[in-house]
């Protein structure tokens, strides 16, 4: 389980919150980094997170991402298209050689490889819409400090 601390900056719907977290070295290799929105001079990032505990704007929270989901996403986004690319190259080469079309087998192989890879990426994009957000999004696990308790402490002084 990968965890980090952030501050809730927006509630999008009842169970989805936007959390601002500091960028760290892990961000560079994260599969989901394209889904994070930069903010505050690119030192922070905004991440959509499933909010089952009802955190509110201003709350400092712990956001967790399951290692299993991270590895599954990595496999799906990197390995599946790579397998499709290789399979397309092999199919293109075999088709070109057996059909005897007079087209350069390497060109045919490259075109098939590209077509298979694009098809796999489109398949991934279409399938991603059917996955429940709580299965792939980071989840707010607990509230470290509540915005309400901080504001009441400030008014009491």
């Amino acid at each position: 389980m990968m965890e980090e601390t952030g501050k809730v900056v927006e509630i999008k719907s009842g169970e989805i919150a936007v959390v601002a977290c500091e960028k760290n070295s892990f961000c560079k290799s994260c599969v989901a980094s394209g889904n994070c929105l930069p903010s505050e001079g690119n030192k922070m990032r905004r991440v959509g997170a499933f909010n089952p505990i009802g955190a509110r704007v201003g709350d400092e929270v712990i956001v967790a991402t399951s290692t299993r989901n991270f590895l599954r996403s990595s496999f799906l986004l990197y390995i599946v298209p790579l397998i499709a690319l290789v399979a397309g190259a092999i199919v293109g080469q075999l088709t070109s050689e057996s059909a005897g079309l007079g087209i350069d087998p390497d060109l045919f192989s490259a075109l098939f490889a590209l077509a298979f890879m694009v098809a796999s990426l489109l398949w991934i994009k279409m399938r991603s819409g059917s996955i429940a957000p709580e299965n792939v999004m980071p989840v707010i696990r607990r509230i470290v400090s509540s915005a309400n308790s901080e504001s009441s402490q400030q008014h009491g002084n």
Side-chain angles (χ1 to χ4, degrees), residues 99-123:
L101 300 173
I103 299 173
D104 181 22
D106 292 335
L107 175 62
F108 213 61
S109 179
L111 291 174
F112 265 69
L114 184 63
F116 274 50
M117 186 183 73
V118 168
S120 75
L121 292 170
L122 290 172
W123 177 79

Side-chain angles (χ1 to χ4, degrees), residues 14-15 50-56 59-62 139-144:
E15 295 192 340
F50 186 59
N51 184 13
I53 62 172
R56 291 181 260 173
D59 290 351
E60 188 174 344
V61 296
I62 299 291
V139 177
I140 297 175
R141 292 286 178 208
R142 70 176 192 271
I143 298 172
V144 176

Side-chain angles (χ1 to χ4, degrees), residues 43-103:
K43 292 180 183 175
M44 301 286 283
R45 60 184 164 66
R46 296 169 56 139
V47 181
F50 186 59
N51 184 13
I53 62 172
R56 291 181 260 173
V57 173
D59 290 351
E60 188 174 344
V61 296
I62 299 291
V63 180
T65 302
S66 124
T67 307
R68 180 179 178 200
N69 286 343
F70 176 75
L71 292 174
R72 186 182 319 157
S73 298
S74 297
F75 180 81
L76 192 61
L77 290 174
Y78 292 116
I79 304 303
V80 170
L82 182 63
I83 291 169
L85 183 78
V86 172
I90 293 169
V91 169
Q93 187 76 28
L94 295 174
T95 303
S96 175
E97 290 172 356
S98 65
L101 300 173
I103 299 173

